[in-house]
Amino acid sequence: MATSETSNRKRMFKQTILFLLPSLILLIVFFIGPVILTFFFSFTDFSLTGTTAREVSFVGFNNFKNLFADPRFFSAFSSTMIFLLASGIIGQQLLGFVVAYLMQKKNPLFRKIVGATIMAGWVTPELIVAISFVTFLHDGGTLNEFITQLGFEPISWLFEYPMTSIVIANIWQGSALSMLMFQSALDAIPDSLYEAAEIDGASSWKQLTNITFPMIKSTIFTNLVIITLSTLGVFTLIYTMTGGGPSGQTATLPVFMYEQAFVNYQLGYGTAIALVILAFGILLSILYIRLLRVEDK
């Protein structure tokens, strides 16, 4: 009997491995493999041209020493933090929650129409979103045509307000995910809690702060992690709209990495920047998780 059970377990284990094998292969090839290569190349002088393209040398922490001594890195880091805070942590979270909150207890058809409209931005490819906003914000674009009709002077939005432009574009595209997550969390809150609060005379603000926010706290932190990681990796939107300019004002870390790796052909230096972005994202995620644990105590 024991032998039969052992053989069944072995057979089930082999079947499980076979089912998981395609996923494991994809994970290794498209995630673990690139991470290992990034880690390796960040400690080399590998470039796409010149002698170092043929003879790669191990340079230790030189890339990181040069990186942290480069004023362009700190400028890119500052731009990244502004972009992350304005468009992700505040913008997408706030807009997603406001839309989800306002749609509570609304007509199901109305919710579907609003949800589909907002989702359209999320499923639109980043390149298309960028081109659309460039067309909208261009000197001769739709927005300037509109304000000219109102009697105002046209504004060079992408030149005078480049960071604001890419922040708005990223909020427009990314808020749908926040809306979906908050909508699901809000729908899970029992109506009886709000009914009891109304009987006790609690105002809408009191209900929001004492019932809604505490009940969706875990969703807020989960959404925060997802938004942070996705916003740190935004490249196509920024590069298409501003190219990192003017004068490096919108050159975030992904743009800076691209310029060093594929414009200046310093692939080793570029992968060192990529590793810093990865480490920064991991540190922020750990911070969020720790904050959530503190809040739960």
Side-chain angles (χ1 to χ4, degrees):
M1 186 72 177
T3 305
S4 177
E5 287 182 2
T6 303
S7 61
N8 287 335
R9 287 178 181 177
K10 288 182 178 180
R11 185 169 60 255
M12 290 179 63
F13 178 75
K14 290 180 181 179
Q15 290 176 346
T16 303
I17 293 297
L18 287 174
F19 279 122
L20 292 176
L21 192 60
S23 299
L24 290 173
I25 292 173
L26 290 174
L27 184 65
I28 293 170
V29 172
F30 293 105
F31 181 73
I32 298 175
V35 169
I36 293 172
L37 284 176
T38 298
F39 188 82
F40 171 74
F41 285 132
S42 66
F43 293 97
T44 68
D45 62 354
F46 183 39
S47 66
L48 297 177
T49 60
T51 56
T52 53
R54 297 190 302 271
E55 300 176 3
V56 180
S57 301
F58 184 78
V59 296
F61 290 94
N62 283 352
N63 285 329
F64 296 96
K65 290 178 181 177
N66 295 333
L67 181 62
F68 292 120
D70 191 342
R72 295 173 300 173
F73 167 74
F74 292 101
S75 176
F77 183 79
S78 175
S79 297
T80 302
M81 289 303 297
I82 294 171
F83 182 69
L84 173 62
L85 184 65
S87 72
I89 295 175
I90 295 177
Q92 291 183 22
Q93 281 253 100
L94 184 60
L95 182 59
F97 174 76
V98 168
V99 174
Y101 185 74
L102 292 176
M103 285 202 298
Q104 269 190 302
K105 301 177 182 178
K106 293 293 189 294
N107 184 282
L109 179 60
F110 176 78
R111 291 183 59 169
K112 287 181 181 179
I113 294 173
V114 174
T117 303
I118 296 176
M119 283 291 294
W122 189 43
V123 300
T124 302
E126 205 170 86
L127 180 62
I128 304 302
V129 173
I131 293 173
S132 299
F133 270 89
V134 168
T135 305
F136 181 69
L137 299 171
H138 193 264
D139 293 354
T142 308
L143 183 56
N144 275 332
E145 287 291 333
F146 177 73
I147 65 175
T148 301
Q149 295 296 323
L150 296 176
F152 296 100
E153 290 294 323
I155 300 172
S156 184
W157 299 99
L158 294 173
F159 184 79
E160 296 182 29
Y161 305 101
M163 182 58 73
T164 303
S165 299
I166 62 172
V167 163
I168 292 173
N170 195 50
I171 291 174
W172 182 87
Q173 183 180 33
S175 296
L177 178 61
S178 297
M179 181 202 70
L180 289 174
M181 293 188 68
F182 285 130
Q183 195 174 67
S184 177
L186 291 172
D187 289 344
I189 300 175
D191 292 336
S192 58
L193 293 178
Y194 292 110
E195 292 169 359
E198 288 178 1
I199 292 172
D200 291 337
S203 64
S204 297
W205 176 251
K206 286 287 186 180
Q207 293 179 37
L208 183 66
T209 55
N210 295 333
I211 298 176
T212 305
F213 286 152
M215 293 293 291
I216 66 170
K217 181 175 58 179
S218 60
T219 301
I220 292 174
F221 278 94
T222 301
N223 189 45
L224 197 57
V225 171
I226 296 172
I227 285 177
T228 297
L229 296 178
S230 62
T231 304
L232 282 175
V234 173
F235 167 76
T236 305
L237 182 75
I238 299 172
Y239 199 76
T240 303
M241 289 184 67
T242 64
S247 303
Q249 292 183 50
T250 57
T252 57
L253 286 175
V255 174
F256 182 53
M257 176 194 68
Y258 172 82
E259 290 175 346
Q260 298 307 309
F262 300 107
V263 177
N264 297 334
Y265 304 121
Q266 300 300 315
L267 200 60
Y269 192 57
T271 51
I273 301 170
L275 201 61
V276 169
I277 297 173
L278 177 63
F280 185 56
I282 292 172
L283 285 174
L284 286 178
S285 299
I286 293 172
L287 176 62
Y288 296 152
I289 293 170
R290 286 187 176 273
L291 286 174
L292 179 60
R293 287 177 179 173
V294 171
E295 289 289 331
D296 287 337
K297 289 181 180 180

